[in-house]
Amino acid sequence: DNAIYWVRDFHLDGLRLDAVHAMGDDDFLVELARQVRAHAPDRPVHLGVENECNNGRLLADAGLAQWNDDFHHAVHVLLTGESGGYYADYAQEPAKGLARSLSGRFIRERSGSTPDLPPTAFVDFLQNHDHVGNRAFGERLISLAEPRALAAAVALLLLSPSIPLIFFGEETGAREPFLYFCDHDDPALAAAVREGRRAEFAKFPQFADPARREEIPDPNAPTTFERSRPRLEGGEEWHTLYKALLHLRRLHIVPRLKGTVADHAEAVGPKAVQANWRMGDGAMLNLFCNLGSDPVAVPAPRGETIWNRDGTLCWIAPP
């Protein structure tokens, strides 16, 4: 009833359901999707989920779109070289993993094989509140990756047919961290959160020294929140990049999305991938992206080239 209330009475475009793997009831999610959409029959209702189980059957049965951690983790390893924590599972041949993600599959299948899914069953992103905020010092990718490679990754994100998510401040090249912050009135609870968070990082080699862990910002300190405010002015170069790519997406990709299917994707270098999709109108969307500094042979485009910059090449071949 609550979900229906927001969509029916307030005309929300959709809902994002957090940590559905903790619900333990996939049938409820299927029924939720059915009933919510039944109360808004004249417009699309978008239902996004976070699901660590990577259950492709659930996405197919309920018409959901999953926040795609697999895509994020593979790209993050390629851009930063980090392989600690949950990135360890993606550190071996990350370009092959990224290609698998672009082909509409999970890199880490945890709930059986994935059925054929449209690209719009995945919400791809380079950053989000979880993966930036859960870092000890909240660094954004712009502080961790080489600028040209990051620009190539932005083009990969926005010119792929999956649903892109832009983490606030990305579009202006904000460098302010996004730290883990909270506001607990209970001093005991505030202390428990502070010490618990620092204890989480004890298993990482760079935080083996307790003195180093003491440098992790206190989540309850007002300065932690204030430091996390992104600068949303300036950054003209990044703003221009995002604006140009979003314009191309709206012009060439969005009108063709319905009925799009992945055709083929493969790693073509240590940090390079090539992928293509058969779009709804029969055109073929082709994308080549090199996130590394080593040169990789670029395929000869056959069709209309819509982007060729910073190691990313995108073209559309007519039906």
Side-chain angles (χ1 to χ4, degrees):
D1 287 345
N2 183 264
I4 291 169
Y5 170 70
W6 288 108
V7 171
R8 180 193 60 201
D9 295 357
F10 285 89
H11 305 281
L12 266 67
D13 294 326
L15 302 166
R16 189 257 188 182
L17 308 177
D18 190 47
V20 300
H21 50 269
M23 293 181 180
D25 189 351
D26 290 348
D27 290 340
F28 166 76
L29 293 168
V30 174
E31 182 65 11
L32 175 81
R34 186 190 69 78
Q35 291 208 29
V36 166
R37 289 177 172 135
H39 283 81
D42 299 326
R43 59 189 177 90
V45 175
H46 305 283
L47 298 174
V49 297
E50 178 195 25
N51 188 0
E52 290 183 358
C53 294
N54 283 357
N55 188 342
R57 175 54 58 191
L58 174 62
L59 299 182
D61 291 347
L64 304 175
Q66 178 168 323
W67 280 38
N68 195 357
D69 278 349
D70 277 2
F71 176 89
H72 169 271
H73 295 352
V75 173
H76 189 92
V77 170
L78 288 166
L79 288 175
T80 69
E82 293 182 355
S83 59
Y86 47 67
Y87 295 121
D89 290 337
Y90 299 83
Q92 297 296 320
E93 300 182 308
K96 286 187 177 181
L98 177 57
R100 181 174 176 82
S101 180
L102 293 171
S103 69
R105 301 285 176 176
F106 290 113
I107 302 173
R108 306 287 293 180
E109 290 190 330
R110 302 184 179 96
S111 300
S113 60
T114 304
D116 290 336
L117 294 167
T120 49
F122 299 93
V123 178
D124 289 350
F125 48 88
L126 304 180
Q127 303 176 88
N128 70 14
H129 68 282
D130 283 325
H131 302 305
V132 181
N134 287 338
R135 297 181 65 86
F137 298 107
E139 305 98 328
R140 293 169 174 267
L141 266 180
I142 196 169
S143 300
L144 303 170
E146 192 272 323
R148 185 209 62 82
L150 181 56
V154 172
L156 173 69
L157 173 72
L158 296 181
L159 297 180
S160 298
S162 294
I163 302 168
L165 180 151
I166 299 172
F167 181 58
F168 72 120
E170 274 188 289
E171 74 283 7
T172 59
R175 291 183 174 274
E176 290 76 12
F178 184 75
L179 298 162
Y180 183 90
F181 56 81
C182 56
D183 184 16
H184 296 304
D185 292 330
D186 182 347
L189 178 57
V193 171
R194 179 181 64 248
E195 298 310 317
R197 176 157 173 80
R198 289 172 177 172
E200 288 179 7
F201 290 96
K203 59 187 175 183
F204 292 88
Q206 61 269 42
F207 294 103
D209 183 352
R212 176 63 170 160
R213 296 198 295 275
E214 290 296 316
E215 298 175 11
I216 297 174
D218 178 359
N220 218 58
T223 53
T224 302
F225 170 73
E226 292 298 335
R227 288 177 58 199
S228 300
R229 294 179 182 270
R231 174 182 54 81
L232 298 179
E233 66 280 344
E236 287 79 8
E237 180 180 353
W238 289 100
H239 186 261
T240 298
L241 174 68
Y242 275 85
K243 187 175 180 179
L245 288 166
L246 287 170
H247 172 74
L248 292 173
R249 180 179 184 85
R250 183 178 64 180
L251 185 65
H252 295 286
I253 297 174
V254 171
R256 298 180 163 109
L257 269 181
K258 187 176 182 179
T260 294
V261 296
D263 183 71
H264 178 71
E266 63 178 330
V268 292
K271 295 187 176 184
V273 293
Q274 183 177 347
N276 50 54
W277 299 264
R278 179 68 66 182
M279 306 301 284
D281 64 351
M284 189 71 78
L285 173 66
N286 301 271
L287 190 57
F288 168 88
C289 181
N290 183 8
L291 298 176
S293 57
D294 295 333
V296 176
V298 179
R302 289 185 293 178
E304 180 185 1
T305 297
I306 64 171
W307 188 259
N308 185 7
R309 175 182 160 185
D310 298 318
T312 300
L313 173 64
C314 183
W315 71 98
I316 297 177

